[in-house]
Amino acid sequence: MRLDDASCVFALGQIGYHRLSGYWYPYRVIDQAASSLHGRPVRTADVGPGTDLNQVLRVYEFDRRLKLLTMDAIERIEVAIRVKVTDVLGRRGPFAHLDPGHLETRFSTSGQGRPSRHASWVHKLRAHQARSSEEYVAHYGRKYGGDLPIWAALEVVDFGALSVLFQRLKRRDRDEIARRLDVVDRTGAGDGAVLANWLRTLNIARNTCAHHARLWNRHFTDTVRVSALQGIKGLKHLAGLEHRDRARFYPALMVLCFLMEKVSMDGDWKAELVRLLSDFPADGVVSLADMGFPAEWADLMS
């Protein structure tokens, strides 16, 4: 749908110049002299002839819908990881998450008068528990007092804290959970290090979405480690991506697709994603390639 001038002005007033500027950045004219001097593209403040705010708003709307789908997938994956970590640690006791002996040794190692990373993690857990307004937390406090057992504790932490705990499980526990999700190395053994890398990357994506920042055309500093995917069908091709594209959203999105096949009870999410991607408003300036997508992405996702 094409907006008239008044509607475009209204949209600009609701979304804001600064937020939208990230979406029209590719339309800004490149200063050839400055680019030659600095050895990299340098853009002026002017946009190219024919640039239309309607097109910028279409890209913005695509990105907004992509973030909603991304959050939907991460929510389901996060819940599944909570259950699996609870299962692995909980069979050693209801408070195994508080016992450094059940976790990686270096997680509980203190240094130079500072608390261990495990102690800091437990401190944050207790802060989450204290702030929680959930009835089950209040009921437990009234009846028993003290720390929550693991099956309740992992329901009050955020995805970042869950990711940290998973990363600091003993290797055998990480690998067991990874194997349950078919995250394996080339021998078919569970690869918990790969899954830990994925969770860190997805946590960054989640925070990006939660703060309504841009996924499209974004450069990520913590990325999917593509060199360790030879045992995972459907993801091997990520190792062939250009260095620039490895830092875009495409690898993380492919990880989401892979994990959703393991944790979701229906295929609607991926079908909706493919429909959205197929409708990307490419115009010769912007395209899915700006997110790291290869030309054959549709075949790879089929």
Side-chain angles (χ1 to χ4, degrees):
M1 179 181 69
R2 183 174 180 80
L3 302 177
D4 58 26
D5 288 349
S7 297
C8 284
V9 170
F10 176 81
L12 186 61
Q14 304 312 306
I15 301 169
Y17 177 94
H18 179 72
R19 181 177 297 277
L20 279 178
S21 66
Y23 297 91
W24 71 56
Y25 178 82
Y27 296 92
R28 288 167 53 182
V29 176
I30 293 179
D31 184 326
Q32 299 296 340
S35 298
S36 178
L37 178 64
H38 293 282
R40 58 176 176 80
V42 176
R43 297 181 185 270
T44 70
D46 300 322
V47 296
T51 300
D52 188 340
L53 185 59
N54 268 280
Q55 169 64 3
V56 175
L57 289 170
R58 284 193 288 269
V59 178
Y60 173 84
E61 176 62 14
F62 165 85
D63 192 52
R64 188 187 69 81
R65 292 170 61 195
L66 178 63
K67 285 183 284 192
L68 291 174
L69 278 173
T70 297
M71 287 294 279
D72 180 22
I74 290 176
E75 175 193 347
R76 300 193 223 186
I77 292 164
E78 178 180 350
V79 169
I81 295 295
R82 288 178 194 271
V83 171
K84 290 169 177 55
V85 172
T86 296
D87 181 44
V88 166
L89 278 182
R91 65 195 179 202
R92 299 199 178 93
F95 300 99
H97 57 299
L98 304 178
D99 184 347
H102 296 306
L103 303 168
E104 235 181 14
T105 302
R106 59 180 176 171
F107 193 37
S108 57
T109 302
S110 304
Q112 299 180 342
R114 292 176 298 188
S116 70
R117 284 172 288 184
H118 178 247
S120 297
W121 185 88
V122 171
H123 177 76
K124 290 179 181 178
L125 167 62
R126 288 169 176 160
H128 281 296
Q129 179 177 339
R131 290 195 303 267
S132 177
S133 60
E134 291 283 358
E135 175 55 30
Y136 74 86
V137 175
H139 170 75
Y140 186 89
R142 289 192 299 267
K143 188 169 183 178
Y144 302 105
D147 294 303
L148 293 169
I150 188 169
W151 52 85
L154 293 193
E155 292 297 323
V156 302
V157 299
D158 57 26
F159 190 30
L162 177 66
S163 174
V164 168
L165 180 62
F166 177 85
Q167 185 177 351
R168 298 309 179 187
L169 295 176
K170 289 186 180 295
R171 179 175 177 176
R172 65 174 182 272
D173 293 334
R174 294 197 308 267
D175 289 349
E176 178 185 335
I177 293 171
R179 184 67 189 88
R180 293 187 194 181
L181 294 169
D182 292 333
V183 181
V184 297
D185 61 21
R186 64 177 68 226
T187 71
D191 196 332
V194 166
L195 184 54
N197 166 248
W198 290 4
L199 295 181
R200 289 194 304 272
T201 303
L202 295 182
N203 185 49
I204 292 173
R206 182 203 173 283
N207 290 342
T208 299
C209 295
H211 290 93
H212 315 298
R214 194 179 69 256
L215 282 181
W216 172 78
N217 199 24
R218 190 177 197 86
H219 177 92
F220 291 91
T221 54
D222 202 343
T223 60
V224 174
R225 198 170 73 239
V226 299
S227 60
L229 303 179
Q230 291 307 305
I232 304 177
K233 184 180 179 181
L235 298 182
K236 296 178 184 180
H237 72 282
L238 295 179
L241 293 177
E242 297 291 334
H243 181 74
R244 166 190 175 277
D245 294 335
R246 295 180 183 184
R248 301 294 182 174
F249 188 53
Y250 175 73
L253 192 59
M254 291 302 290
V255 164
L256 279 177
C257 289
F258 178 87
L259 290 175
M260 280 292 283
E261 290 181 354
K262 312 302 175 184
V263 306
S264 177
M265 293 181 288
D266 61 66
D268 291 347
W269 182 86
K270 187 174 182 180
E272 188 174 350
L273 174 65
V274 170
R275 283 194 296 271
L276 175 63
L277 296 173
S278 299
D279 289 339
F280 180 83
D283 65 354
V285 176
V286 299
S287 71
L288 288 176
D290 298 319
M291 297 173 63
F293 277 66
E296 66 280 13
W297 69 267
D299 292 333
L300 292 167
M301 293 183 67
S302 63

